[in-house]
Amino acid sequence: MDLHLVTYFVAVVDHGGITKAAQSLYISQPSLSQAIRTLEKRLGVTLFDRTGRRLELTEAGRKLDVAARRILADVDRAKAKVDAVRELRAGRVDVVTYAAFSIDPVVNVVRLFRERFPRLSVRVISADGPGGVLSALRSGDAEIGIMDSAAEHATFSAIPMAEQDLVVAVPPRLAEELPDPAPHSAVRALPLIIDHSDQHTANLFAGIVDDDAKNVVIDCQLPSAVWSLVRSGTGATVLPRTVADRQLAGTRRVALDPPLSRPWGLVLRSGLPSPAALAFISAARAHSGISPDPSDTQDW
């Protein structure tokens, strides 16, 4: 149903007829009459009783009147939220995440956020895994968290976003016999340099880590240190393909069989997000290829 037809219908109801409604809408009377007939045709019902001097709603018309006013109210609320974001002149959003997402998606989302809202700033703080993200939100240190959407998020509101496509980045000397894609059993034979401290990440990597994690030769939470160690030939690591292609171009990037991915999303404190937070959410959705809808939060 076209929104302008809903608006025209409500105007006719409020003004009790076509003539006054057309004047209030600044359109011609024939155009408004045709619009109402179009609406009735699309719905397959008669909306007005035209036997008297004043148009009266039929039963179908009364039902539509309730729904139409709800639709217009929802549209007004959505416009108000969008306007609040567009009219932002200053402000800051505080975001918390951890090592797994510190490059992908944080860098591109923050870049897009700044391009769209150049007068806003963002503070990104580091946490120790999903639990640290929720703790920062709970204490008020941050308004938005970026974390693994498969992890427990307690009672926080959340917006699922996208998935990281994970690959193995292997130094040339360790990659000679490695097929592409590599079965998990082949990766278990490699010395790995990964962040194995987060239990959820450890569970995700369970298929490529051998018994007692003996092939995890370096457990490191610092991405830049991991990359340097891989480039030096010390071992292989598992990371998003986009990050591997940019940071470890001199290594061999190998897909996994079966594929390994990590979903991520935003977690929010309870209550209405600030306009700056809504702006950040819209940037994250755009980065993920999701249609903009800043009011769309749900529980995972």
Side-chain angles (χ1 to χ4, degrees), residues 74 77-79 81-82 85 157-159 268 272-273 278 281-282 285 291-298:
D74 289 343
R77 283 192 290 269
K79 286 182 177 179
K81 289 185 178 181
V82 172
V85 171
S157 298
I159 308 174
L268 289 76
L272 183 67
L278 288 175
I281 293 169
S282 71
R285 294 176 70 92
S291 299
D293 183 5
S295 64
D296 181 21
T297 59
Q298 61 183 18

Side-chain angles (χ1 to χ4, degrees), residues 60-110:
R62 285 191 288 273
K63 291 181 179 179
L64 178 61
D65 186 37
V66 174
R69 294 180 191 279
R70 186 182 302 119
I71 290 170
L72 294 178
D74 289 343
V75 170
D76 286 342
R77 283 192 290 269
K79 286 182 177 179
K81 289 185 178 181
V82 172
D83 289 342
V85 171
R86 287 178 177 170
E87 293 172 3
L88 282 175
R89 295 294 180 266
R92 186 184 78 182
V93 59
D94 298 322
V95 179
V96 59
T97 190
Y98 49 101
F101 306 104
S102 60
I103 305 298
D104 176 35
V106 167
V107 170
N108 282 332
V109 172
V110 170

Side-chain angles (χ1 to χ4, degrees), residues 138-205:
R138 193 175 293 111
S139 65
D141 289 338
E143 187 175 4
I144 296 179
I146 299 177
M147 59 182 278
D148 191 323
S149 60
E152 173 59 42
H153 68 283
T155 58
F156 291 89
S157 298
I159 308 174
M161 285 291 166
E163 289 194 355
Q164 294 177 328
D165 175 28
L166 301 178
V167 298
V168 184
V170 190
R173 71 175 186 84
L174 298 176
E176 295 177 357
E177 303 297 328
L178 194 66
D180 188 2
H184 291 196
S185 58
V187 179
R188 285 196 292 270
L190 296 172
L192 293 180
I193 306 169
I194 58 176
D195 177 7
H196 205 242
S197 59
D198 167 34
Q199 185 58 51
H200 194 78
T201 300
N203 293 339
L204 179 66
F205 290 172

